[in-house]
Amino acid sequence: MTHLAAAPSPSVRVRAPGKVNLSLRVGARQADGYHPLSTIFQAVALYEEVTATQVPEGAGLTITVDGPQADLVPVDGTNLAWRAAEALATQVGVAPDVALHLAKGVPVAGGMAGGSADAAATLVACDALWQTGLSRDDLSALAADLGSDVPFALLGHTAVGTGRGHLLTPAMARGEFHWVFAAQAEGLSTPAVYGRFDELAGPDADDDPGLAEDTALMQALRAGDAHGLGQALHNDLQPAALSLRPELERTLGVATDAGALGAVVSGSGPTVAALARSRQHALAIAASWTAEGAADSVWCTSGPAHGARLLP
Ligand code: C5P
């Protein structure tokens, strides 16, 4: 009797990066509930890895997760990766019969867009699995519908974001910047941080948050000048995040005392990003955070990093 080995199910793996907002300028809440942004994103080399495996017809969608904070991640239709697979399947008229496995390399609910990276990676993975023939622009439009940060996770590198943060223009950046992140076990809700921003900024928020003030930052990026970049880091959501998490003030202070070139809350927080002179200096800042008990976990990395990409 001959035994035929079953053919392995087709499977693809995709990596997509987390991000830090080098500058985040937030305007007044609009009628649709969103705030107009002018932001400069940088992708960092902390990656989400999504494996998409074809399953038998009718088996439907499943999600499994691993990583240090896997228990914090939902595995149902509230997961952005789930919504990404469904949205793509609907767009191209196939059934979403796929098993998604998420390996988390970005702090969860930390203001670093790990969930958005999962969605971006899922779009690229399912696009390859189902051979949809969609263009990168088509994927980007789907990405923008899923969340404001999803298009940037597709694009990666360094980019200016306007609109809800989803309209992107690549920005010039020379060299490599060394980052270290202080993550907290308990995340912050992005809508809650925007809500506190509304309370704090009230009628003073600009209708149109310009990038005019970021000339020095853009110049530092072009020159590969880490000192200049450190001084120019800016986040309009930082007062709101600090008001919800006063202890982050100390996390910022410890980084400054350890000689960080700049320290800022990442996106809506609570992760704090510090820019270091070198990889060794990043490790020293991380050690200070750990010694002072100012972070639940520390992550050393660099930027810019590539956008969502298929792995061989
Ligand atoms: O687009 P996304 O789903 O990531 O946004 C999450 C929440 O963050 C929104 O529901 C909104 O409360 C807030 N947000 C905002 N203005 C933006 C982006 C997000 O108010 N430009």
Side-chain angles (χ1 to χ4, degrees):
M1 201 161 98
T2 47
H3 289 275
L4 291 174
S9 299
S11 183
V12 292
R13 276 190 313 150
V14 175
R15 263 184 175 181
K19 59 84 186 167
V20 57
N21 299 82
L22 307 175
S23 172
L24 178 53
R25 299 189 186 272
V26 181
R29 181 186 288 271
Q30 304 296 294
D32 64 1
Y34 280 87
H35 297 72
L37 304 182
S38 284
T39 187
I40 302 166
F41 293 106
Q42 182 157 90
V44 296
L46 298 176
Y47 297 102
E48 299 284 285
E49 197 174 299
V50 173
T51 306
T53 305
Q54 190 72 54
V55 294
E57 215 178 306
L61 239 171
T62 55
I63 292 186
T64 50
V65 186
D66 78 45
Q69 297 165 296
D71 50 325
L72 301 176
V73 180
V75 294
D76 58 14
T78 61
N79 190 306
L80 214 48
W82 183 294
R83 290 176 41 210
E86 271 193 333
L88 181 64
T90 304
Q91 168 108 0
V92 298
V94 302
D97 293 323
V98 63
L100 299 174
H101 181 72
L102 318 180
K104 308 282 302 174
V106 177
V108 175
M112 294 187 67
S116 299
D118 291 336
T122 299
L123 286 176
V124 172
C126 292
D127 174 64
L129 204 58
W130 299 333
Q131 300 179 0
T132 71
L134 291 182
S135 66
R136 201 78 178 184
D137 280 353
D138 294 330
L139 287 185
S140 200
L142 272 173
D145 283 341
L146 291 163
S148 310
D149 290 335
V150 185
F152 180 70
L154 276 180
L155 183 68
H157 305 282
T158 307
V160 174
T162 55
R164 285 182 280 113
H166 66 298
L167 303 172
L168 299 172
T169 310
M172 257 278 278
R174 191 188 304 272
E176 187 183 24
F177 296 96
H178 298 279
W179 292 101
V180 53
F181 294 92
Q184 308 297 334
E186 196 185 338
L188 269 175
S189 138
T190 302
V193 175
Y194 275 102
R196 182 56 60 91
F197 170 85
D198 294 336
E199 287 162 19
L200 293 175
D204 296 337
D206 287 339
D207 271 336
D208 182 19
L211 282 173
E213 285 124 300
D214 289 320
T215 315
L217 195 159
M218 298 295 272
Q219 169 62 28
L221 278 174
R222 278 194 297 273
D225 168 12
H227 285 83
L229 178 59
Q231 279 171 13
L233 297 174
H234 176 85
N235 183 357
D236 278 346
L237 291 181
Q238 184 160 306
L242 289 176
S243 137
L244 293 170
R245 272 308 157 75
E247 60 271 30
L248 295 180
E249 197 84 65
R250 199 161 117 320
T251 309
L252 290 164
V254 169
T256 307
D257 291 348
L261 303 177
V264 72
V265 168
S266 178
S268 56
T271 304
V272 167
L275 186 62
R277 291 188 302 271
S278 62
R279 174 151 174 81
Q280 284 70 24
H281 185 211
L283 291 168
I285 296 169
S288 294
W289 272 335
T290 304
E292 296 286 332
D296 289 326
S297 60
V298 292
W299 311 61
C300 289
T301 185
S302 65
H306 65 75
R309 186 188 275 180
L310 276 170
L311 294 176

